[in-house]
Amino acid sequence: MAELGTRLGEYEDAQFILEKCKQLNPGYIPARYDLVDVLSKRFHYARALSEAEEVLTSEPDNLQFRMLRANLLLQIGETETALAEYKTIQRQDETNTRVSLTLGHAYKTLGRIDDAVNAYRHAYRLKRDFGDAYWSLANLKTYRFTDDELVAMATEEAKATTETDDRIHLCFALGKAHEDRADHASAFACYARGNHLRQSILGYQPDSVTYEVDHQIEHCSQSLFSAKLGSGCAAEDPIFIVGLPRAGSTLLEQILASHSQVEGTTELPDIMAIASRLNGRQAAEEEDRYPANLMELTPAELSGLGESYMASTMVHRREGKTRFIDKMPNNFRHIGLIHLILPNARIIDARRDPMDCGFSVFRQLFAQGQDFSYGLGHIGRYYRDYVRLMDHWDTVLPGRVLRVQHEDVIDDLEAQVRRILQHCGLPFEQACVDFHQTRRAIRTPSSEQVRRPINRDGAGVWKNFEPWLAPLKNALAGQDGP
């Protein structure tokens, strides 16, 4: 029953059943293992880690259990500890491709790029069609494939026996390899093929996002915020950076995390988890309860939700600093909720030229959560919905969100740094201007780009692909298509 619940995404039910399994038979390890997985899927990382420790204690030499624990450590920012564990596992199982891949991810997070490259290369040598290993090299952004690697990727991608997931990863990696060689036609063909395969699996429905934005605009009104004035948790700790992926949010995070009072965490799922809880369980034909039910919440309930957010994010705060960053881009869809439960939190909208941002999204293969990104027309429509909702927040919550244009940061870094720090109530520190000198773990695709001084490398890249970008241009102009 728990396995069925997990497959259907009913994680709350699955957790309840697995906890009952543990109660009835604490020695039944498969159920305990699955409980860790479900807790992780529900973003209960502290509890998941505790359960994983118990499972590992039962079988200390079980490499699968050690891998489970190491993955959780990496998830909560204990990167050095996770790295040591991956290395131990690899020494005992040198042919495990997944261990080599994840070891590379840990090295990348720490900025140890040569080690990451070696780990990824080791992974694809173990499995020649291991698309994720090639894509991980491409996703370093600074890596350049050799001619032999390009031939190997093209050969594996063309084989009928290559699994779809590997083929998708290989297509995106090939796109990057061809783009680095200025073969833009071949690069776009590979990106397009990878995106088409990914979209055919996901079946993204753009109407669902438009519907959600419509409901946020309808229910998160000036009257709602006036009625709830003074509610919420008073904590000033969080700084939310929202927007679209590939819009420069990692750069803003690196700038802020270079401040002595601010800790960078990662893209935290906690606000979206709260929104999901407010929506509750519903039948397919039922209307969403959230955000309409925000008006029904009492001041005590709103404060409780804010306090719940503060408690659940604590596992990611390792440095004891007074402020921390939540860089989940999709939180732009929940700014009304954030305002109600955390009225003193700061919110920054990372904005970038729509063509630059849109095409950069199209070139990126995301691990999860950005289903709109695999069609040029879908990207353009999503961008329009995003701007429409941000305009609404500016109307009903004037001055609440600071918009930071990526191009302005490139043109006048210090002025924008001062503006950002002022919005966050932080004193100016030169380290924020010298952000590229800050050494910290970074778990997003732009990690290596923000470890370099400010530059224009990503500006105007879309122009090299302009002959194929009409669907994006049309969608941004209001003409929808796939």
Side-chain angles (χ1 to χ4, degrees):
M1 287 176 66
E3 287 174 359
L4 285 171
T6 301
R7 291 179 193 177
L8 293 169
E10 297 289 351
Y11 301 131
E12 185 176 358
D13 283 347
Q15 179 184 335
F16 175 81
I17 295 167
L18 290 166
E19 285 172 339
K20 179 62 70 173
C21 288
K22 178 182 176 182
Q23 178 184 343
L24 293 172
N25 188 353
Y28 185 51
I29 298 302
R32 302 281 297 278
Y33 184 93
D34 288 349
L35 177 58
V36 176
D37 179 58
V38 168
L39 287 168
S40 179
K41 284 182 167 64
R42 296 195 69 205
F43 316 119
H44 299 331
Y45 294 121
R47 170 95 187 278
L49 183 59
S50 176
E51 292 286 343
E53 298 279 8
E54 290 184 17
V55 169
L56 184 58
T57 300
S58 69
E59 296 184 31
D61 297 326
N62 188 311
L63 296 185
Q64 187 179 15
F65 295 170
R66 296 193 75 161
M67 187 72 174
L68 181 72
R69 175 179 175 272
N71 289 343
L72 283 166
L73 289 168
L74 187 64
Q75 189 67 46
I76 65 172
E78 292 281 2
T79 312
E80 293 281 6
T81 307
L83 178 64
E85 190 76 335
Y86 290 133
K87 291 165 76 172
T88 299
I89 297 169
Q90 188 181 55
R91 284 194 293 270
Q92 298 178 58
D93 187 3
E94 294 182 355
T95 62
N96 190 317
T97 56
R98 188 56 55 180
V99 174
S100 294
L101 183 77
T102 316
L103 180 62
H105 295 343
Y107 279 131
K108 175 190 175 184
T109 298
L110 294 170
R112 295 173 56 177
I113 301 306
D114 289 344
D115 290 326
V117 167
N118 289 334
Y120 294 144
R121 283 176 165 172
H122 180 68
Y124 77 58
R125 289 184 187 118
L126 293 171
K127 182 177 182 290
R128 298 301 297 180
D129 64 351
F130 192 14
D132 205 346
Y134 288 107
W135 166 244
S136 296
L137 286 166
N139 207 28
L140 292 171
K141 308 303 181 187
T142 55
Y143 183 78
R144 297 296 178 264
F145 288 104
T146 66
D147 291 344
D148 288 344
E149 287 173 327
L150 179 59
V151 171
M153 287 190 291
T155 300
E156 298 300 331
E157 196 275 323
K159 289 180 179 178
T161 55
T162 299
E163 296 287 341
T164 300
D165 188 62
D166 286 311
R167 191 181 308 282
I168 292 169
H169 284 84
L170 285 165
C171 284
F172 278 89
L174 280 164
K176 176 66 163 57
H178 286 303
E179 185 178 348
D180 288 340
R181 288 165 168 76
D183 184 354
H184 299 117
S186 296
F188 186 82
C190 291
Y191 288 138
R193 187 158 65 252
N195 275 284
H196 175 75
L197 287 169
R198 184 73 166 154
Q199 171 59 22
S200 67
I201 294 170
L202 295 173
Y204 172 70
Q205 299 297 322
D207 287 347
S208 63
V209 173
T210 300
Y211 167 88
E212 181 184 333
V213 168
D214 288 344
H215 276 237
Q216 288 284 338
I217 291 173
E218 177 185 358
H219 296 291
C220 293
S221 60
Q222 184 67 65
S223 59
L224 168 68
F225 300 122
S226 296
K228 304 299 180 183
L229 189 65
S231 298
C233 171
E236 298 184 45
D237 308 36
I239 300 171
F240 292 92
I241 301 177
V242 305
L244 261 65
R246 313 298 299 153
S249 59
T250 304
L251 174 59
L252 301 187
E253 179 193 40
Q254 181 75 349
I255 288 169
L256 278 164
S258 300
H259 197 282
S260 62
Q261 298 179 34
V262 182
E263 179 175 0
T265 57
T266 186
E267 297 177 358
L268 304 179
D270 302 77
I271 288 296
M272 293 191 300
I274 291 172
S276 179
R277 291 205 304 272
L278 287 172
N279 205 34
R281 182 177 311 184
Q282 58 189 129
E285 68 278 2
E286 275 189 280
E287 287 277 324
D288 288 341
R289 300 180 183 90
Y290 166 84
N293 58 0
L294 289 174
M295 184 62 87
E296 302 167 10
L297 298 179
T298 66
E301 287 172 327
L302 291 170
S303 295
L305 290 173
E307 290 161 4
S308 171
Y309 171 87
M310 295 299 299
S312 64
T313 55
M314 187 58 68
V315 69
H316 299 280
R317 301 177 67 178
R318 323 302 303 178
E319 301 173 7
K321 296 186 178 181
T322 57
R323 311 288 291 280
F324 73 99
I325 302 163
D326 181 339
K327 201 182 76 69
M328 175 58 73
N330 297 355
N331 280 340
F332 80 86
R333 290 148 73 167
H334 305 290
I335 286 176
L337 172 63
I338 292 172
H339 176 75
L340 291 173
I341 69 174
L342 293 161
N344 296 319
R346 304 311 204 274
I347 307 171
I348 297 171
D349 171 26
R351 188 76 62 93
R352 185 181 177 192
D353 173 84
M355 288 299 294
D356 268 332
C357 186
F359 182 62
S360 186
V361 166
F362 187 72
R363 296 153 73 211
Q364 182 68 41
L365 177 58
F366 296 95
Q368 60 182 5
Q370 307 297 349
D371 293 357
F372 75 93
S373 67
Y374 302 105
L376 291 170
H378 293 160
I379 294 168
R381 179 170 172 180
Y382 189 91
Y383 193 98
R384 283 185 4 242
D385 277 332
Y386 149 70
V387 170
R388 185 163 63 95
L389 185 54
M390 294 309 300
D391 287 346
H392 172 72
W393 300 131
D394 287 343
T395 299
V396 298
L397 296 170
R400 188 72 175 86
V401 180
L402 178 71
R403 180 164 304 125
V404 178
Q405 193 71 33
H406 182 65
E407 292 76 15
D408 292 342
V409 178
I410 294 173
D411 289 340
D412 194 346
L413 175 61
E414 182 170 332
Q416 291 302 311
V417 167
R418 290 182 180 278
R419 180 170 170 258
I420 292 166
L421 293 177
Q422 182 180 20
H423 176 74
C424 294
L426 293 165
F428 176 78
E429 291 183 1
Q430 182 62 32
C432 297
V433 177
D434 302 328
F435 64 87
H436 58 283
Q437 298 177 10
T438 300
R439 294 291 171 258
R440 52 178 286 266
I442 307 172
R443 288 184 283 170
T444 59
S446 303
S447 59
E448 292 318 293
Q449 293 164 307
V450 301
R451 287 182 172 123
R452 296 181 294 153
I454 202 81
N455 60 78
R456 296 181 175 275
D457 289 356
V461 169
W462 69 271
K463 294 176 183 177
N464 295 322
F465 297 84
E466 190 166 11
W468 305 284
L469 298 184
L472 175 59
K473 281 186 176 181
N474 292 340
L476 288 168
Q479 304 168 33
D480 292 324

